[in-house]
Amino acid sequence: DQQVKQNSPSLSVQEGRISILNCDYTNSMFDYFLWYKKYPAEGPTFLISISSIKDKNEDGRFTVFLNKSAKHLSLHIVPSQPGDSAVYFCAATPYNNNDMRFGAGTRLTVKP
Amino acid sequence: NAGVTQTPKFRVLKTGQSMTLLCAQDMNHEYMYWYRQDPGMGLRLIHYSVGEGTTAKGEVPDGYNVSRLKKQNFLLGLESAAPSQTSVYFCASSWGLAGELNVLTFGAGSRLTVL
């Protein structure tokens, strides 16, 4: 029962262009959404998050958009850099709850 | 500042053997978690702890046991390893549950192969 889905296993973009990573969820109880980035042989690291009371959160080159009615969120990276090449995990959790669910991840490759 | 440290990083077991993965965090976090990562499945929660002396089951707890005798340590045990437990295991910790308190800090992972 995958409650968080990342339907694109991989994405390749050119350096300087926009990267858009998508995530869909099914559980309407999810209240807080996060993106983690993972390099090979390392653990995931927190990138950016958004609460369900917002529809956009921005941090430098990274912006997360939330569409609650569609149960969809996306991560935009502008401009993309080769160092952004990694696996990106979308995660979601109900309010005040341990049950954080993760998507399967999207491998982003940014070509110089 | 080490953050979350997992040992060992790699281990090969035979079916039926037992082992323990150790997780240590130096951030004074209350909450600790064990996840497993499998291809196409994302990270799935095995067990978690909300404080010293407490443990609880996550999404995929069968075949595993955990203990948290000290606040900074969280142990994951496999009593009788099975090939289905071949995976990469991640330990994580956090301050709390609400919003940004629930941001997880992960260790580097432990790759386990069961033959």
Side-chain angles (χ1 to χ4, degrees):
Chain A
D1 172 27
Q2 275 205 293
Q3 299 182 21
V4 178
K5 298 179 182 179
Q6 295 176 255
N7 292 320
S8 298
S10 63
L11 174 68
S12 181
V13 300
Q14 208 66 35
E15 180 179 6
R17 306 294 285 267
I18 185 171
S19 295
I20 300 176
L21 292 86
N22 293 304
C23 178
D24 297 295
Y25 62 95
T26 58
N27 189 342
S28 59
M29 297 301 292
F30 287 147
D31 177 79
Y32 197 72
F33 305 87
L34 310 93
W35 287 93
Y36 290 85
K37 181 169 72 173
K38 184 185 180 304
Y39 293 117
E42 296 182 9
T45 56
F46 171 70
L47 185 59
I48 192 170
S49 63
I50 187 167
S51 166
S52 61
I53 63 173
K54 296 183 177 181
D55 55 18
K56 176 182 174 181
N57 188 27
E58 194 171 353
D59 183 3
R61 297 186 296 112
F62 302 90
T63 303
V64 56
F65 296 92
L66 176 63
N67 183 334
K68 286 187 66 179
S69 61
K71 293 189 175 66
H72 177 83
L73 64 157
S74 60
L75 174 68
H76 292 211
I77 307 173
V78 183
S80 301
Q81 300 174 353
D84 296 329
S85 296
V87 176
Y88 290 79
F89 290 99
C90 172
T93 180
Y95 176 75
N96 213 27
N97 191 290
N98 302 96
D99 194 9
M100 187 175 295
R101 298 293 179 114
F102 287 80
T106 296
R107 182 178 301 277
L108 173 66
T109 302
V110 180
K111 298 180 178 179
Chain B
N1 189 353
V4 178
T5 303
Q6 294 181 227
T7 52
K9 295 192 184 315
F10 302 94
R11 185 74 187 268
V12 178
L13 289 177
K14 295 182 179 178
T15 297
Q17 287 185 320
S18 63
M19 74 156 297
T20 300
L21 298 177
L22 172 63
C23 176
Q25 54 98 0
D26 61 2
M27 298 168 287
N28 204 33
H29 284 173
E30 285 293 335
Y31 297 83
M32 296 189 74
Y33 308 83
W34 275 106
Y35 285 88
R36 60 178 288 174
Q37 183 194 5
D38 301 293
M41 299 292 291
L43 289 92
R44 292 180 293 168
L45 182 62
I46 305 170
H47 286 281
Y48 64 94
S49 168
V50 302
E52 181 178 318
T54 74
T55 63
K57 295 179 180 180
E59 183 184 359
V60 288
D62 293 342
Y64 305 95
N65 57 75
V66 288
S67 64
R68 191 156 177 213
L69 299 179
K70 294 183 178 180
K71 184 177 183 178
Q72 64 267 35
N73 296 337
F74 195 31
L75 279 63
L76 178 71
L78 286 73
E79 291 183 347
S80 179
S84 61
Q85 293 177 304
T86 294
S87 187
V88 180
Y89 293 85
F90 289 99
C91 178
S93 66
S94 70
W95 288 110
L97 297 179
E100 292 184 358
L101 294 177
N102 204 4
V103 170
L104 301 178
T105 301
F106 284 90
S110 298
R111 182 176 294 275
L112 174 65
T113 302
V114 183
L115 303 176

